Amino acid sequence: MSDDLKRWQSERHAELSSPDSWLGLVGLFWLQPGRNPVGRTATATVVLPHGPALLGDLSWADGRVVWQSADGPEVALATDLHGAPTLVDFENLSFFVVDRDGQLAVRLRDRNWAAKAPFAGLDYFPFDHRWQIVAAWQAIDPPLTMEVPNVSGELKTVSVAHRAVFELAGQQVSLLPMAVGDKEVFFVFRDRSSGRETYGAGRFLKVPVATSGQITLDFNRAYNPPCAFTPFATCPLPPPENWLPFAVPAGEKKWLKPV
């Protein structure tokens, strides 16, 4: 195993064991236009596990979200649409607004989550250089338009202009990217290990952008999506085109929640 892969695995562990880990999420609350109370009562839009009956109000109007605490000034909140969202802290709790194709929701986090059940780490398949696959990066003309569902059943329209094509065990297969950036390409895939040794809904893979018509798919870096760790994430599901007809015994294995 290369030092680079060891460093990547170490960074994954640090991310998942931190106070801001996906494991610390304790709620996802969809907002409605207008006033959205935040507090301990069951009638609040954002229900806190402890604290005052009314901590404050989130107001969503004219494309803006404003936080008005019960004893403080108004604060305009940035969502996660264009970067890091604005955090609102209360004791060990922290919440922020996420934008999912124009629908807004609040994610609530307990930053002291690890005191109850510390993160024990991830299991990986042994490194295997055979799963470092150089694929052809083929243009799709005209681009393909797909409706990609997430775990909540909502659909997102994705335009796909390229595919990664490779041959394995006598089969030619392809993967469609969910996003192509300036530095990396993002895939969501399933394989015959899904639901057995790996997370049932599939795994994520980020790789460097293609060069000279080729793209390297290092499945040793395949990793579990946030939905493997919390029910309060909205992860994309792999399209049928990305259901591989063989097992991929590389990368992260299924994470088992401590009992």
Side-chain angles (χ1 to χ4, degrees), residues 1 19 24 32 51 54 57 65 68 74-75 84 88 143 157 160 168 171 176 196 232 237:
M1 183 191 304
Q32 298 296 323
L54 179 65
D57 290 312
V65 180
Q68 172 68 71
E74 289 188 352
V75 178
V88 178
T157 301
V160 184
L168 189 69
Q171 300 182 77
L176 300 176
R196 297 179 176 87
F232 305 119
L237 297 173

Side-chain angles (χ1 to χ4, degrees), residues 50-78:
H50 60 81
L54 179 65
L55 181 66
D57 290 312
L58 286 166
S59 298
W60 176 17
D62 301 324
R64 298 175 69 245
V65 180
V66 174
W67 167 244
Q68 172 68 71
S69 65
D71 57 358
E74 289 188 352
V75 178
L77 303 185

Side-chain angles (χ1 to χ4, degrees), residues 3-249:
D3 289 342
D4 190 47
L5 182 58
K6 289 180 181 178
R7 182 166 53 252
W8 177 79
Q9 292 181 355
S10 177
E11 289 171 354
R12 281 285 289 163
H13 183 92
E15 173 191 4
L16 289 166
S17 59
S18 75
D20 295 330
S21 169
W22 290 102
L23 291 163
L25 291 182
V26 293
L28 177 70
F29 307 94
W30 294 97
L31 302 181
Q32 298 296 323
R35 176 177 177 262
N36 295 268
V38 178
R40 194 184 66 253
T41 62
T43 56
T45 303
V46 179
V47 181
L48 304 180
H50 60 81
L54 179 65
L55 181 66
D57 290 312
L58 286 166
S59 298
W60 176 17
D62 301 324
R64 298 175 69 245
V65 180
V66 174
W67 167 244
Q68 172 68 71
S69 65
D71 57 358
E74 289 188 352
V75 178
L77 303 185
T79 73
D80 68 342
L81 184 60
H82 300 295
T86 307
L87 300 179
V88 178
D89 296 320
F90 170 70
E91 297 180 354
N92 61 302
L93 301 175
S94 179
F95 66 83
F96 53 96
V97 181
V98 298
D99 186 318
R100 295 297 174 265
D101 296 321
Q103 299 298 310
L104 303 186
V106 164
R107 281 201 177 122
L108 179 65
R109 175 178 282 128
D110 177 359
R111 293 177 55 83
N112 291 344
W113 66 272
K116 303 170 186 174
F119 179 56
L122 296 164
D123 288 329
Y124 294 89
F125 291 99
F127 169 76
D128 190 339
H129 69 87
R130 291 174 297 181
W131 289 105
Q132 293 176 314
I133 295 173
V134 178
W137 189 237
Q138 295 183 354
I140 302 174
D141 188 19
L144 175 67
T145 298
M146 296 192 303
E147 296 289 338
V148 178
N150 63 25
V151 293
S152 301
E154 297 160 332
L155 297 175
K156 179 178 181 178
T157 301
V158 176
S159 180
V160 184
H162 289 82
R163 61 165 61 92
V165 180
F166 60 97
E167 188 172 307
L168 189 69
Q171 300 182 77
Q172 186 179 83
V173 295
S174 64
L175 285 178
L176 300 176
M178 295 296 98
V180 178
D182 294 334
K183 296 182 178 180
E184 63 184 16
V185 181
F186 173 57
F187 297 92
V188 183
F189 73 96
R190 277 179 61 107
D191 63 90
R192 290 293 179 87
S193 74
S194 300
R196 297 179 176 87
E197 295 174 287
T198 62
Y199 182 57
R203 287 180 287 171
F204 289 177
L205 180 65
K206 291 181 179 179
V207 303
V209 296
T211 57
S212 302
Q214 294 183 322
I215 190 167
T216 299
L217 308 173
D218 187 354
F219 288 99
N220 294 287
R221 295 173 182 251
Y223 64 100
N224 292 315
C227 293
F229 305 102
T230 176
F232 305 119
T234 54
C235 304
L237 297 173
E241 293 89 346
N242 284 8
W243 290 30
L244 299 177
F246 43 76
V248 179

